[in-house]
Amino acid sequence: MNFNAPHIITEGVKQYQLGVFKGKEIRYDFEKILDYLNAKGQLMFGKDFKIYKEDRDILYKLCLYFIQDKERCHQLDIDIRKGILLSGPVGCGKTSLMKLLKHIVPHQRSYAVIPSRNIVFAFNHLGYKIIGDYGDQRLYCFDDLGIEPLGVHFGQQCNVLGEILLSRHELFINQNYKTHATTNLNAKELEERYGSRVRSRMRELFNLVAFNKKTSDKRK
């Protein structure tokens, strides 16, 4: 990566210029970002990957967030200090987008996309150490939040992701470390899954960005 030109990204032998410098700022071009995302998506997920027209509005919001366009994000009621909670029906492309979008800003600190159920499986094996491990200063996107099973370690049940979200909230309040997540659940279902206390913290932790409920399953 060229730190003097982070808006110019090289993939193989091809360069993608996502915008131009204006003074000390990068002025990004949304259409050029989409071209890059389509190409990068095919490299990451296979030649059948494509950016769908029906997703342009949600991609526009997400791109503004990732490039940290304060003015436009403010107009859309997106707080760039918070993380993203990307919600939508099964197969709409949430996970792929969260794996993909971080590549448009290679100069920013990246995050790991971790399936929530894998964290619970690790808890079942290793116990409460796992909650501490994910309450650290690394950045995460918890994938498929809310459909993971309860954790069980030596007969004790634990709502593992609920506890981790409380730790992540504390980390955000005290040190401004972001957390991202994807979910198939709506606000009511999340509250039923994690309780009102965690749901309240999630409002402070995340910007909710939601696909239309009628978005098609792209896996079919």
Side-chain angles (χ1 to χ4, degrees), residues 155-169:
Q156 282 193 313
Q157 281 197 339
C158 178
N159 194 327
V160 179
L161 267 295
E163 293 297 324
I164 289 173
L165 287 172
L166 291 175
S167 297
R168 298 299 302 180
H169 175 265

Side-chain angles (χ1 to χ4, degrees), residues 18-199:
L18 308 189
V20 294
F21 264 118
K22 293 287 185 180
K24 295 183 179 180
E25 292 186 346
I26 300 170
R27 297 288 177 88
Y28 285 92
D29 182 318
F30 181 55
E31 296 301 327
K32 290 180 179 177
I33 291 176
L34 291 185
D35 286 343
Y36 171 69
L37 289 175
N38 204 65
K40 183 67 173 177
Q42 290 181 0
L43 289 172
M44 291 175 65
F45 309 118
K47 59 182 176 58
D48 291 333
F49 177 89
K50 68 176 180 176
I51 298 294
Y52 289 79
K53 288 183 179 179
E54 66 188 78
D55 296 340
R56 282 178 65 95
D57 287 347
I58 200 163
L59 270 167
Y60 182 66
K61 291 179 184 178
L62 290 168
C63 286
L64 289 177
Y65 171 83
F66 277 96
I67 65 175
Q68 299 283 278
D69 188 323
K70 295 180 183 179
E71 185 177 337
R72 291 181 188 174
C73 281
H74 180 72
Q75 291 169 357
L76 294 169
D77 200 27
I78 296 172
D79 187 339
I80 62 172
R81 297 175 305 120
K82 298 181 180 182
I84 291 290
L85 175 60
L86 186 58
S87 73
V90 172
C92 67
K94 301 181 297 296
T95 304
S96 296
L97 288 184
M98 291 306 289
K99 288 181 177 178
L100 186 57
L101 279 160
K102 59 184 179 177
H103 292 284
I104 68 174
V105 283
H107 55 298
Q108 293 182 20
R109 192 176 171 201
S110 190
Y111 54 85
V113 179
I114 311 290
S116 296
R117 64 199 303 268
N118 289 7
I119 297 173
V120 175
F121 295 154
F123 172 87
N124 294 346
H125 179 60
L126 298 171
Y128 287 86
K129 172 184 180 297
I130 290 298
I131 294 173
D133 286 349
Y134 284 98
D136 64 11
Q137 296 176 349
R138 287 173 289 182
L139 304 187
Y140 298 103
C141 174
F142 300 126
D143 192 34
D144 277 337
L145 186 68
I147 62 171
E148 75 281 353
L150 284 173
V152 181
H153 186 67
F154 286 110
Q156 282 193 313
Q157 281 197 339
C158 178
N159 194 327
V160 179
L161 267 295
E163 293 297 324
I164 289 173
L165 287 172
L166 291 175
S167 297
R168 298 299 302 180
H169 175 265
E170 190 173 318
L171 200 60
F172 169 68
I173 294 299
N174 294 331
Q175 301 182 52
N176 204 32
Y177 283 101
K178 292 179 182 178
T179 304
H180 305 299
T182 72
T183 186
N184 300 333
L185 306 186
N186 59 35
K188 182 181 178 183
E189 291 168 331
L190 286 168
E191 185 162 335
E192 289 173 355
R193 180 71 175 81
Y194 296 115
S196 58
R197 180 171 171 239
V198 173
R199 177 64 187 134

